[in-house]
């Protein structure tokens, strides 16, 4: 990053932020689609039933726990790779 001008650094940061937002929105959209299609099956009312609401809550909590665990494993893996590369 030291070889970039201030303008180039700002542009790079903006592109990275846009990409992060896009990735988050894609993941969020996937979560909504998955939990909705898994939990909502009664379209006779515009409100969610208590069963559907509970299902969606469990689905979102499970997804969040899974994402946290994946992130932890990714960090563990990166730490191992870093250690291996420093040992060479």
């Amino acid at each position: 990053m030291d070889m970039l001008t201030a303008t180039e650094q700002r542009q790079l940061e903006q592109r990275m932020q846009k990409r992060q937002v896009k990735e988050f929105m894609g993941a969020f959209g996937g979560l909504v689609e998955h939990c909705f299609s898994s939990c909502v099956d009664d379209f006779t009312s515009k409100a969610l039933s208590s069963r559907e609401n509970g299902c969606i809550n469990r689905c979102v909590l499970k997804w969040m726990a899974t994402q946290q665990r994946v992130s932890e494993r990714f960090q563990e893996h990166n730490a191992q790779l870093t250690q291996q590369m420093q040992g060479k």
Side-chain angles (χ1 to χ4, degrees), residues 41-80:
D41 54 12
D42 180 10
F43 297 99
T44 59
S45 170
K46 66 179 180 179
L48 294 173
S49 70
S50 59
R51 183 199 61 76
E52 290 170 330
N53 199 31
C55 179
I56 288 173
N57 286 335
R58 286 187 302 279
C59 183
V60 170
L61 289 173
K62 187 179 278 191
W63 182 86
M64 289 173 62
T66 300
Q67 294 305 309
Q68 181 177 356
R69 183 63 184 135
V70 167
S71 176
E72 290 168 358
R73 288 293 295 143
F74 183 74
Q75 290 173 359
E76 292 168 7
H77 181 72
N78 276 343
Q80 287 174 347

Side-chain angles (χ1 to χ4, degrees), residues 12-24:
L12 179 60
E13 288 171 9
Q14 289 172 346
R15 287 181 181 165
M16 290 172 63
Q17 287 175 352
K18 284 181 183 179
R19 182 174 180 175
Q20 288 173 338
V21 168
K22 186 177 179 179
E23 288 173 359
F24 172 78

Side-chain angles (χ1 to χ4, degrees), residues 21-39 59-60 63-64 67:
V21 168
K22 186 177 179 179
E23 288 173 359
F24 172 78
M25 293 307 291
F28 182 74
L31 166 67
V32 170
E33 182 179 343
H34 171 73
C35 291
F36 182 85
S37 62
S38 296
C39 298
C59 183
V60 170
W63 182 86
M64 289 173 62
Q67 294 305 309

